[in-house]
Amino acid sequence: TVTKQVTGEGASAPGARTAFEITVTLTAPANRDLVGSYTSGDEEHANGTLNETATAQGAQWSETFALGAGETIAFTGLPTGTKYEVTEKDYSQNGYTTAYTNQTGTIAASDAAAAGVTARVTNTLNVGGLTVEKTLGGNAADAEKEFSFTVTLKNESVEINKTYGGVEFTAVNGNNHEAVATLTLKGGESATMSGIPAGTSYTVEEADYKAEGYVTTIPANAEGGIAVDETPTVTFRNTRNTGDLTVTKQ
């Protein structure tokens, strides 16, 4: 039996998948026909039979299945001594790590033992989030003014040119492992980007508003990393004060 498991906090993340391609390869002992049958959670390959003619090198059969979380492929009637190998397509670009249990092996001599052979493929997708917040201070800050922010994400192993929490990130110079988005926020507003793969680094920058009289307080966490199941808040504060001058002629 081949079993698919999916773990982590990223079930609703932009890179999450509902099905994973898993290939099962069977090789019979030399000079033995490779026969048997299977049932699976893959609708296109829900059931089937194996009937490969014996060869001196060992008759071989291979098929690729699409399995979702909790779905299985169950083989019955295989010759004892049949070797198996289970491999999965690489989903690291989607943010998944993959772990195998009993990835390779040999079908045991007794039916009871054979029924107990389980190969497990586990995919884990861990994500976090990021919130950018704008606050205002001083006696002359404009509550209706929109302030522009640039958010940059980098991840060497995962493609991150996706939409997180409604904020669209586009690849930088065609590099899907570095992506950028622009936000506009008024005082008191915030934007949360959810479902970002854990391990992604981020940088938040605000446009320069010195010419308009604003002094910007840049937070210490304007640069950082996305951690599993955490959403740091990056708060930029803009302060603007004005005074009066009266000239009197006597």
Side-chain angles (χ1 to χ4, degrees):
T1 301
V2 178
T3 300
K4 158 55 61 181
Q5 290 186 334
V6 181
T7 63
E9 305 297 325
S12 60
R17 297 184 60 87
T18 57
F20 300 79
E21 293 185 14
I22 294 175
T23 300
V24 180
T25 301
L26 302 174
T27 305
N31 303 312
R32 289 281 303 276
D33 292 338
L34 179 54
V35 296
S37 62
Y38 66 83
T39 58
S40 82
D42 184 347
E43 292 183 359
E44 293 187 9
H45 301 91
N47 53 71
T49 58
L50 291 68
N51 190 13
E52 303 295 330
T53 303
T55 68
Q57 294 77 26
Q60 192 171 82
W61 176 92
S62 184
E63 185 62 82
T64 298
F65 300 83
L67 296 183
E71 294 182 337
T72 63
I73 314 163
F75 292 89
T76 57
L78 298 174
T80 57
T82 297
K83 295 181 180 180
Y84 71 85
E85 181 179 20
V86 178
T87 58
E88 184 182 68
K89 183 178 177 180
D90 184 2
Y91 292 104
S92 60
Q93 296 297 329
N94 297 80
Y96 288 95
T97 57
T98 303
Y100 294 92
T101 302
N102 297 327
Q103 182 181 11
T104 62
T106 302
I107 302 303
S110 69
D111 289 340
V117 176
T118 299
R120 182 174 292 108
V121 185
T122 302
N123 293 84
T124 302
L125 177 58
N126 288 317
V127 298
L130 176 67
T131 296
V132 178
E133 180 183 48
K134 162 56 58 188
T135 62
L136 297 176
N139 63 11
D142 183 357
E144 296 302 314
K145 180 176 177 57
E146 293 185 335
F147 295 83
S148 180
F149 295 87
T150 299
V151 183
T152 303
L153 301 178
K154 295 182 181 180
N155 192 313
E156 293 183 359
S157 59
V158 181
E159 294 183 345
I160 52 174
N161 56 323
K162 304 182 187 302
T163 299
Y164 302 103
V167 179
E168 182 179 3
F169 284 79
T170 57
V172 176
N173 297 323
N175 178 12
N176 294 339
H177 296 272
E178 180 178 358
V180 65
T182 300
L183 306 173
T184 56
L185 299 173
K186 297 179 182 179
E189 292 184 338
S190 64
T192 297
M193 293 142 278
S194 56
I196 302 173
T200 299
S201 64
Y202 70 83
T203 302
V204 183
E205 298 174 293
E206 186 183 62
D208 187 351
Y209 294 98
K210 291 189 186 71
E212 299 176 44
Y214 286 94
V215 176
T216 301
T217 302
I218 300 174
N221 64 345
E223 296 184 10
I226 303 300
V228 178
D229 204 25
E230 293 185 6
T231 304
T233 297
V234 180
T235 302
F236 279 75
R237 184 172 180 82
N238 290 71
T239 303
R240 184 171 185 265
N241 288 302
T242 61
D244 298 326
L245 172 66
T246 301
V247 178
T248 301
K249 173 64 176 173
Q250 291 184 335

